[in-house]
mmCIF file of all heavy atoms in Angstrom:
data_model
loop_
_atom_site.group_PDB
_atom_site.id
_atom_site.type_symbol
_atom_site.label_atom_id
_atom_site.label_comp_id
_atom_site.label_asym_id
_atom_site.label_seq_id
_atom_site.Cartn_x
_atom_site.Cartn_y
_atom_site.Cartn_z
ATOM 1 N N MET A 1 -19.811 1.480 8.863
ATOM 2 C CA MET A 1 -18.976 0.747 7.929
ATOM 3 C C MET A 1 -18.104 1.714 7.112
ATOM 4 O O MET A 1 -16.937 1.455 6.902
ATOM 5 C CB MET A 1 -19.846 -0.090 7.013
ATOM 6 C CG MET A 1 -19.030 -0.939 6.072
ATOM 7 S SD MET A 1 -20.081 -2.112 5.242
ATOM 8 C CE MET A 1 -19.236 -2.234 3.709
ATOM 9 N N PHE A 2 -18.713 2.805 6.663
ATOM 10 C CA PHE A 2 -17.950 3.769 5.872
ATOM 11 C C PHE A 2 -16.849 4.406 6.700
ATOM 12 O O PHE A 2 -15.756 4.653 6.193
ATOM 13 C CB PHE A 2 -18.881 4.844 5.302
ATOM 14 C CG PHE A 2 -18.158 5.856 4.465
ATOM 15 C CD1 PHE A 2 -17.704 5.516 3.202
ATOM 16 C CD2 PHE A 2 -17.904 7.123 4.951
ATOM 17 C CE1 PHE A 2 -17.022 6.440 2.430
ATOM 18 C CE2 PHE A 2 -17.219 8.045 4.193
ATOM 19 C CZ PHE A 2 -16.775 7.704 2.924
ATOM 20 N N LYS A 3 -17.150 4.652 7.967
ATOM 21 C CA LYS A 3 -16.153 5.259 8.845
ATOM 22 C C LYS A 3 -14.942 4.332 9.000
ATOM 23 O O LYS A 3 -13.796 4.780 8.944
ATOM 24 C CB LYS A 3 -16.770 5.551 10.210
ATOM 25 C CG LYS A 3 -15.832 6.248 11.154
ATOM 26 C CD LYS A 3 -16.497 6.539 12.492
ATOM 27 C CE LYS A 3 -15.522 7.201 13.421
ATOM 28 N NZ LYS A 3 -16.117 7.442 14.739
ATOM 29 N N GLY A 4 -15.172 3.044 9.155
ATOM 30 C CA GLY A 4 -14.082 2.073 9.264
ATOM 31 C C GLY A 4 -13.263 2.014 7.985
ATOM 32 O O GLY A 4 -12.033 1.933 8.030
ATOM 33 N N PHE A 5 -13.949 2.049 6.844
ATOM 34 C CA PHE A 5 -13.257 2.043 5.560
ATOM 35 C C PHE A 5 -12.393 3.283 5.410
ATOM 36 O O PHE A 5 -11.243 3.206 4.967
ATOM 37 C CB PHE A 5 -14.286 1.970 4.417
ATOM 38 C CG PHE A 5 -13.674 1.954 3.056
ATOM 39 C CD1 PHE A 5 -13.008 0.843 2.588
ATOM 40 C CD2 PHE A 5 -13.771 3.071 2.232
ATOM 41 C CE1 PHE A 5 -12.431 0.833 1.326
ATOM 42 C CE2 PHE A 5 -13.198 3.076 0.974
ATOM 43 C CZ PHE A 5 -12.532 1.954 0.519
ATOM 44 N N ALA A 6 -12.921 4.433 5.814
ATOM 45 C CA ALA A 6 -12.170 5.685 5.724
ATOM 46 C C ALA A 6 -10.940 5.651 6.625
ATOM 47 O O ALA A 6 -9.866 6.121 6.239
ATOM 48 C CB ALA A 6 -13.063 6.862 6.091
ATOM 49 N N VAL A 7 -11.076 5.068 7.809
ATOM 50 C CA VAL A 7 -9.944 4.964 8.734
ATOM 51 C C VAL A 7 -8.848 4.086 8.138
ATOM 52 O O VAL A 7 -7.660 4.422 8.208
ATOM 53 C CB VAL A 7 -10.409 4.423 10.105
ATOM 54 C CG1 VAL A 7 -9.237 4.036 10.976
ATOM 55 C CG2 VAL A 7 -11.280 5.435 10.806
ATOM 56 N N VAL A 8 -9.229 2.981 7.523
ATOM 57 C CA VAL A 8 -8.249 2.080 6.902
ATOM 58 C C VAL A 8 -7.534 2.772 5.750
ATOM 59 O O VAL A 8 -6.315 2.670 5.619
ATOM 60 C CB VAL A 8 -8.937 0.776 6.434
ATOM 61 C CG1 VAL A 8 -8.012 -0.048 5.566
ATOM 62 C CG2 VAL A 8 -9.400 -0.030 7.628
ATOM 63 N N VAL A 9 -8.266 3.494 4.926
ATOM 64 C CA VAL A 9 -7.667 4.201 3.792
ATOM 65 C C VAL A 9 -6.675 5.257 4.279
ATOM 66 O O VAL A 9 -5.557 5.355 3.761
ATOM 67 C CB VAL A 9 -8.754 4.830 2.894
ATOM 68 C CG1 VAL A 9 -8.159 5.793 1.895
ATOM 69 C CG2 VAL A 9 -9.525 3.738 2.185
ATOM 70 N N VAL A 10 -7.059 6.022 5.276
ATOM 71 C CA VAL A 10 -6.169 7.047 5.815
ATOM 72 C C VAL A 10 -4.921 6.412 6.419
ATOM 73 O O VAL A 10 -3.806 6.903 6.230
ATOM 74 C CB VAL A 10 -6.910 7.930 6.844
ATOM 75 C CG1 VAL A 10 -5.952 8.810 7.616
ATOM 76 C CG2 VAL A 10 -7.957 8.766 6.147
ATOM 77 N N ALA A 11 -5.080 5.292 7.122
ATOM 78 C CA ALA A 11 -3.929 4.605 7.717
ATOM 79 C C ALA A 11 -2.976 4.093 6.638
ATOM 80 O O ALA A 11 -1.751 4.216 6.775
ATOM 81 C CB ALA A 11 -4.400 3.456 8.594
ATOM 82 N N LEU A 12 -3.513 3.532 5.565
ATOM 83 C CA LEU A 12 -2.655 3.026 4.489
ATOM 84 C C LEU A 12 -1.925 4.154 3.776
ATOM 85 O O LEU A 12 -0.740 4.036 3.459
ATOM 86 C CB LEU A 12 -3.483 2.218 3.488
ATOM 87 C CG LEU A 12 -3.952 0.855 3.977
ATOM 88 C CD1 LEU A 12 -4.866 0.212 2.942
ATOM 89 C CD2 LEU A 12 -2.768 -0.042 4.276
ATOM 90 N N ILE A 13 -2.614 5.250 3.537
ATOM 91 C CA ILE A 13 -1.973 6.394 2.879
ATOM 92 C C ILE A 13 -0.890 6.973 3.780
ATOM 93 O O ILE A 13 0.206 7.303 3.307
ATOM 94 C CB ILE A 13 -3.023 7.453 2.491
ATOM 95 C CG1 ILE A 13 -3.896 6.922 1.357
ATOM 96 C CG2 ILE A 13 -2.367 8.758 2.088
ATOM 97 C CD1 ILE A 13 -5.086 7.794 1.024
ATOM 98 N N SER A 14 -1.173 7.077 5.062
ATOM 99 C CA SER A 14 -0.183 7.600 6.002
ATOM 100 C C SER A 14 1.051 6.711 6.060
ATOM 101 O O SER A 14 2.184 7.200 6.069
ATOM 102 C CB SER A 14 -0.786 7.721 7.398
ATOM 103 O OG SER A 14 -1.873 8.587 7.383
ATOM 104 N N THR A 15 0.835 5.411 6.089
ATOM 105 C CA THR A 15 1.952 4.468 6.124
ATOM 106 C C THR A 15 2.783 4.566 4.852
ATOM 107 O O THR A 15 4.019 4.546 4.907
ATOM 108 C CB THR A 15 1.424 3.030 6.309
ATOM 109 O OG1 THR A 15 0.640 2.978 7.493
ATOM 110 C CG2 THR A 15 2.555 2.040 6.407
ATOM 111 N N ALA A 16 2.129 4.675 3.703
ATOM 112 C CA ALA A 16 2.859 4.791 2.442
ATOM 113 C C ALA A 16 3.670 6.086 2.395
ATOM 114 O O ALA A 16 4.814 6.097 1.931
ATOM 115 C CB ALA A 16 1.888 4.732 1.270
ATOM 116 N N GLN A 17 3.096 7.175 2.884
ATOM 117 C CA GLN A 17 3.812 8.450 2.892
ATOM 118 C C GLN A 17 5.013 8.399 3.827
ATOM 119 O O GLN A 17 6.087 8.910 3.499
ATOM 120 C CB GLN A 17 2.875 9.586 3.314
ATOM 121 C CG GLN A 17 1.826 9.914 2.290
ATOM 122 C CD GLN A 17 2.436 10.418 0.995
ATOM 123 O OE1 GLN A 17 3.402 11.149 0.990
ATOM 124 N NE2 GLN A 17 1.871 9.985 -0.120
ATOM 125 N N LEU A 18 4.841 7.772 4.980
ATOM 126 C CA LEU A 18 5.941 7.625 5.928
ATOM 127 C C LEU A 18 7.051 6.770 5.325
ATOM 128 O O LEU A 18 8.238 7.074 5.479
ATOM 129 C CB LEU A 18 5.427 7.000 7.225
ATOM 130 C CG LEU A 18 6.365 7.005 8.411
ATOM 131 C CD1 LEU A 18 6.695 8.438 8.807
ATOM 132 C CD2 LEU A 18 5.741 6.268 9.572
ATOM 133 N N ASP A 19 6.679 5.720 4.605
ATOM 134 C CA ASP A 19 7.665 4.874 3.932
ATOM 135 C C ASP A 19 8.416 5.662 2.867
ATOM 136 O O ASP A 19 9.629 5.534 2.738
ATOM 137 C CB ASP A 19 6.973 3.665 3.303
ATOM 138 C CG ASP A 19 7.943 2.757 2.574
ATOM 139 O OD1 ASP A 19 9.016 2.447 3.143
ATOM 140 O OD2 ASP A 19 7.647 2.359 1.438
ATOM 141 N N GLN A 20 7.711 6.490 2.117
ATOM 142 C CA GLN A 20 8.366 7.312 1.095
ATOM 143 C C GLN A 20 9.386 8.249 1.736
ATOM 144 O O GLN A 20 10.470 8.458 1.213
ATOM 145 C CB GLN A 20 7.326 8.140 0.335
ATOM 146 C CG GLN A 20 6.439 7.344 -0.575
ATOM 147 C CD GLN A 20 7.155 6.832 -1.793
ATOM 148 O OE1 GLN A 20 8.092 7.440 -2.278
ATOM 149 N NE2 GLN A 20 6.714 5.696 -2.296
ATOM 150 N N TYR A 21 9.026 8.805 2.872
ATOM 151 C CA TYR A 21 9.903 9.772 3.552
ATOM 152 C C TYR A 21 11.116 9.088 4.183
ATOM 153 O O TYR A 21 12.236 9.576 4.067
ATOM 154 C CB TYR A 21 9.098 10.513 4.613
ATOM 155 C CG TYR A 21 9.909 11.503 5.398
ATOM 156 C CD1 TYR A 21 10.343 12.686 4.809
ATOM 157 C CD2 TYR A 21 10.239 11.261 6.720
ATOM 158 C CE1 TYR A 21 11.095 13.607 5.519
ATOM 159 C CE2 TYR A 21 10.988 12.175 7.446
ATOM 160 C CZ TYR A 21 11.419 13.338 6.837
ATOM 161 O OH TYR A 21 12.163 14.238 7.546
ATOM 162 N N LEU A 22 10.906 7.959 4.850
ATOM 163 C CA LEU A 22 11.981 7.328 5.620
ATOM 164 C C LEU A 22 12.876 6.401 4.802
ATOM 165 O O LEU A 22 14.086 6.351 5.021
ATOM 166 C CB LEU A 22 11.396 6.543 6.802
ATOM 167 C CG LEU A 22 10.703 7.390 7.870
ATOM 168 C CD1 LEU A 22 10.082 6.490 8.925
ATOM 169 C CD2 LEU A 22 11.660 8.376 8.489
ATOM 170 N N THR A 23 12.299 5.638 3.876
ATOM 171 C CA THR A 23 13.081 4.611 3.174
ATOM 172 C C THR A 23 13.005 4.735 1.658
ATOM 173 O O THR A 23 13.269 3.758 0.953
ATOM 174 C CB THR A 23 12.620 3.204 3.580
ATOM 175 O OG1 THR A 23 11.257 3.036 3.191
ATOM 176 C CG2 THR A 23 12.762 2.974 5.064
ATOM 177 N N ASP A 24 12.640 5.890 1.164
ATOM 178 C CA ASP A 24 12.535 6.118 -0.286
ATOM 179 C C ASP A 24 11.542 5.181 -0.976
ATOM 180 O O ASP A 24 11.710 4.827 -2.128
ATOM 181 C CB ASP A 24 13.900 5.974 -0.950
ATOM 182 C CG ASP A 24 14.512 7.313 -1.292
ATOM 183 O OD1 ASP A 24 13.810 8.327 -1.154
ATOM 184 O OD2 ASP A 24 15.679 7.331 -1.702
ATOM 185 N N GLY A 25 10.536 4.731 -0.249
ATOM 186 C CA GLY A 25 9.493 3.906 -0.849
ATOM 187 C C GLY A 25 9.887 2.471 -1.116
ATOM 188 O O GLY A 25 9.225 1.786 -1.886
ATOM 189 N N ARG A 26 10.925 2.002 -0.474
ATOM 190 C CA ARG A 26 11.410 0.637 -0.707
ATOM 191 C C ARG A 26 10.331 -0.400 -0.397
ATOM 192 O O ARG A 26 10.077 -1.305 -1.180
ATOM 193 C CB ARG A 26 12.646 0.394 0.146
ATOM 194 C CG ARG A 26 13.287 -0.947 -0.070
ATOM 195 C CD ARG A 26 14.518 -1.138 0.788
ATOM 196 N NE ARG A 26 15.291 0.083 0.896
ATOM 197 C CZ ARG A 26 15.967 0.446 1.978
ATOM 198 N NH1 ARG A 26 15.971 -0.324 3.024
ATOM 199 N NH2 ARG A 26 16.649 1.560 2.000
ATOM 200 N N TYR A 27 9.680 -0.263 0.761
ATOM 201 C CA TYR A 27 8.703 -1.266 1.181
ATOM 202 C C TYR A 27 7.380 -1.104 0.448
ATOM 203 O O TYR A 27 6.732 -2.096 0.109
ATOM 204 C CB TYR A 27 8.506 -1.194 2.694
ATOM 205 C CG TYR A 27 9.794 -1.472 3.435
ATOM 206 C CD1 TYR A 27 10.479 -0.457 4.093
ATOM 207 C CD2 TYR A 27 10.353 -2.742 3.424
ATOM 208 C CE1 TYR A 27 11.679 -0.717 4.744
ATOM 209 C CE2 TYR A 27 11.544 -3.005 4.070
ATOM 210 C CZ TYR A 27 12.205 -1.994 4.734
ATOM 211 O OH TYR A 27 13.383 -2.240 5.360
ATOM 212 N N THR A 28 6.987 0.117 0.172
ATOM 213 C CA THR A 28 5.760 0.347 -0.586
ATOM 214 C C THR A 28 5.902 -0.208 -1.995
ATOM 215 O O THR A 28 4.997 -0.857 -2.514
ATOM 216 C CB THR A 28 5.426 1.847 -0.649
ATOM 217 O OG1 THR A 28 5.345 2.358 0.683
ATOM 218 C CG2 THR A 28 4.115 2.091 -1.349
ATOM 219 N N GLY A 29 7.043 0.016 -2.614
ATOM 220 C CA GLY A 29 7.279 -0.519 -3.960
ATOM 221 C C GLY A 29 7.269 -2.029 -3.982
ATOM 222 O O GLY A 29 6.709 -2.647 -4.888
ATOM 223 N N ALA A 30 7.867 -2.641 -2.970
ATOM 224 C CA ALA A 30 7.891 -4.104 -2.901
ATOM 225 C C ALA A 30 6.485 -4.658 -2.686
ATOM 226 O O ALA A 30 6.113 -5.664 -3.302
ATOM 227 C CB ALA A 30 8.813 -4.552 -1.781
ATOM 228 N N ALA A 31 5.704 -4.009 -1.847
ATOM 229 C CA ALA A 31 4.334 -4.465 -1.598
ATOM 230 C C ALA A 31 3.485 -4.332 -2.859
ATOM 231 O O ALA A 31 2.685 -5.223 -3.180
ATOM 232 C CB ALA A 31 3.711 -3.675 -0.453
ATOM 233 N N MET A 32 3.657 -3.235 -3.595
ATOM 234 C CA MET A 32 2.888 -3.055 -4.821
ATOM 235 C C MET A 32 3.294 -4.080 -5.880
ATOM 236 O O MET A 32 2.441 -4.602 -6.597
ATOM 237 C CB MET A 32 3.073 -1.634 -5.360
ATOM 238 C CG MET A 32 2.466 -0.569 -4.464
ATOM 239 S SD MET A 32 0.733 -0.825 -4.119
ATOM 240 C CE MET A 32 0.033 -0.467 -5.701
ATOM 241 N N ALA A 33 4.583 -4.385 -5.968
ATOM 242 C CA ALA A 33 5.043 -5.403 -6.921
ATOM 243 C C ALA A 33 4.466 -6.771 -6.562
ATOM 244 O O ALA A 33 4.048 -7.528 -7.446
ATOM 245 C CB ALA A 33 6.562 -5.457 -6.940
ATOM 246 N N MET A 34 4.423 -7.080 -5.276
ATOM 247 C CA MET A 34 3.865 -8.357 -4.842
ATOM 248 C C MET A 34 2.374 -8.433 -5.163
ATOM 249 O O MET A 34 1.899 -9.453 -5.685
ATOM 250 C CB MET A 34 4.090 -8.541 -3.343
ATOM 251 C CG MET A 34 3.595 -9.867 -2.816
ATOM 252 S SD MET A 34 3.936 -10.102 -1.078
ATOM 253 C CE MET A 34 2.887 -8.858 -0.351
ATOM 254 N N LEU A 35 1.631 -7.359 -4.905
ATOM 255 C CA LEU A 35 0.201 -7.355 -5.223
ATOM 256 C C LEU A 35 -0.045 -7.468 -6.722
ATOM 257 O O LEU A 35 -0.987 -8.122 -7.155
ATOM 258 C CB LEU A 35 -0.448 -6.076 -4.672
ATOM 259 C CG LEU A 35 -0.607 -6.028 -3.160
ATOM 260 C CD1 LEU A 35 -1.138 -4.659 -2.750
ATOM 261 C CD2 LEU A 35 -1.524 -7.127 -2.680
ATOM 262 N N ARG A 36 0.825 -6.836 -7.518
ATOM 263 C CA ARG A 36 0.706 -6.934 -8.969
ATOM 264 C C ARG A 36 0.891 -8.381 -9.436
ATOM 265 O O ARG A 36 0.145 -8.888 -10.270
ATOM 266 C CB ARG A 36 1.732 -6.018 -9.614
ATOM 267 C CG ARG A 36 1.378 -5.511 -10.947
ATOM 268 C CD ARG A 36 2.275 -4.411 -11.494
ATOM 269 N NE ARG A 36 3.523 -4.140 -10.778
ATOM 270 C CZ ARG A 36 3.726 -3.089 -9.992
ATOM 271 N NH1 ARG A 36 2.779 -2.207 -9.789
ATOM 272 N NH2 ARG A 36 4.897 -2.906 -9.399
ATOM 273 N N GLN A 37 1.872 -9.080 -8.859
ATOM 274 C CA GLN A 37 2.123 -10.470 -9.230
ATOM 275 C C GLN A 37 0.973 -11.373 -8.787
ATOM 276 O O GLN A 37 0.582 -12.297 -9.508
ATOM 277 C CB GLN A 37 3.435 -10.965 -8.620
ATOM 278 C CG GLN A 37 4.661 -10.328 -9.216
ATOM 279 C CD GLN A 37 4.810 -10.643 -10.692
ATOM 280 O OE1 GLN A 37 4.492 -11.738 -11.147
ATOM 281 N NE2 GLN A 37 5.276 -9.676 -11.446
ATOM 282 N N ILE A 38 0.422 -11.114 -7.609
ATOM 283 C CA ILE A 38 -0.710 -11.913 -7.128
ATOM 284 C C ILE A 38 -1.918 -11.702 -8.030
ATOM 285 O O ILE A 38 -2.603 -12.675 -8.385
ATOM 286 C CB ILE A 38 -1.045 -11.534 -5.675
ATOM 287 C CG1 ILE A 38 0.063 -12.040 -4.742
ATOM 288 C CG2 ILE A 38 -2.390 -12.126 -5.245
ATOM 289 C CD1 ILE A 38 -0.049 -11.547 -3.326
ATOM 290 N N SER A 39 -2.175 -10.463 -8.444
ATOM 291 C CA SER A 39 -3.334 -10.215 -9.316
ATOM 292 C C SER A 39 -3.140 -10.871 -10.674
ATOM 293 O O SER A 39 -4.109 -11.352 -11.268
ATOM 294 C CB SER A 39 -3.581 -8.722 -9.462
ATOM 295 O OG SER A 39 -2.546 -8.107 -10.205
ATOM 296 N N ARG A 40 -1.919 -10.924 -11.160
ATOM 297 C CA ARG A 40 -1.661 -11.591 -12.458
ATOM 298 C C ARG A 40 -1.883 -13.095 -12.349
ATOM 299 O O ARG A 40 -2.238 -13.739 -13.338
ATOM 300 C CB ARG A 40 -0.239 -11.304 -12.926
ATOM 301 C CG ARG A 40 -0.055 -9.903 -13.403
ATOM 302 C CD ARG A 40 1.353 -9.660 -13.882
ATOM 303 N NE ARG A 40 1.506 -8.247 -14.252
ATOM 304 C CZ ARG A 40 2.655 -7.639 -14.316
ATOM 305 N NH1 ARG A 40 3.782 -8.293 -14.057
ATOM 306 N NH2 ARG A 40 2.714 -6.367 -14.645
ATOM 307 N N ALA A 41 -1.673 -13.663 -11.177
ATOM 308 C CA ALA A 41 -1.896 -15.091 -10.996
ATOM 309 C C ALA A 41 -3.380 -15.444 -11.104
ATOM 310 O O ALA A 41 -3.719 -16.545 -11.517
ATOM 311 C CB ALA A 41 -1.338 -15.530 -9.644
ATOM 312 N N PHE A 42 -4.246 -14.521 -10.729
ATOM 313 C CA PHE A 42 -5.680 -14.793 -10.751
ATOM 314 C C PHE A 42 -6.330 -14.421 -12.073
ATOM 315 O O PHE A 42 -7.376 -14.938 -12.409
ATOM 316 C CB PHE A 42 -6.385 -14.066 -9.607
ATOM 317 C CG PHE A 42 -6.085 -14.686 -8.273
ATOM 318 C CD1 PHE A 42 -5.255 -14.035 -7.370
ATOM 319 C CD2 PHE A 42 -6.598 -15.922 -7.939
ATOM 320 C CE1 PHE A 42 -4.976 -14.610 -6.146
ATOM 321 C CE2 PHE A 42 -6.325 -16.506 -6.718
ATOM 322 C CZ PHE A 42 -5.513 -15.846 -5.821
ATOM 323 N N PHE A 43 -5.754 -13.467 -12.810
ATOM 324 C CA PHE A 43 -6.406 -13.008 -14.037
ATOM 325 C C PHE A 43 -5.581 -13.329 -15.195
ATOM 326 O O PHE A 43 -4.906 -13.245 -15.872
ATOM 327 C CB PHE A 43 -6.689 -11.501 -13.974
ATOM 328 C CG PHE A 43 -7.608 -11.146 -12.841
ATOM 329 C CD1 PHE A 43 -7.136 -10.468 -11.735
ATOM 330 C CD2 PHE A 43 -8.932 -11.514 -12.864
ATOM 331 C CE1 PHE A 43 -7.963 -10.143 -10.686
ATOM 332 C CE2 PHE A 43 -9.776 -11.196 -11.829
ATOM 333 C CZ PHE A 43 -9.294 -10.508 -10.734
#
């Protein structure tokens, strides 16, 4: 289970870094803003 969790974390970090390099973080920023709004809806 821990190995799967570690793989997911590494994949997400890699994707975010690639987004920062290729598109100046446009998609990562949008995803974080969306998650922030969803969390505010619940709390």
Side-chain angles (χ1 to χ4, degrees):
M1 183 169 148
F2 181 73
K3 183 179 178 182
F5 180 72
V7 168
V8 169
V9 168
V10 169
L12 288 175
I13 290 172
S14 300
T15 303
Q17 290 297 321
L18 191 62
D19 179 46
Q20 289 289 330
Y21 178 72
L22 294 176
T23 62
D24 257 352
R26 184 179 322 146
Y27 299 108
T28 304
M32 293 304 290
M34 182 177 67
L35 288 175
R36 207 170 11 255
Q37 291 297 324
I38 289 171
S39 69
R40 287 181 184 159
F42 288 108
F43 299 109

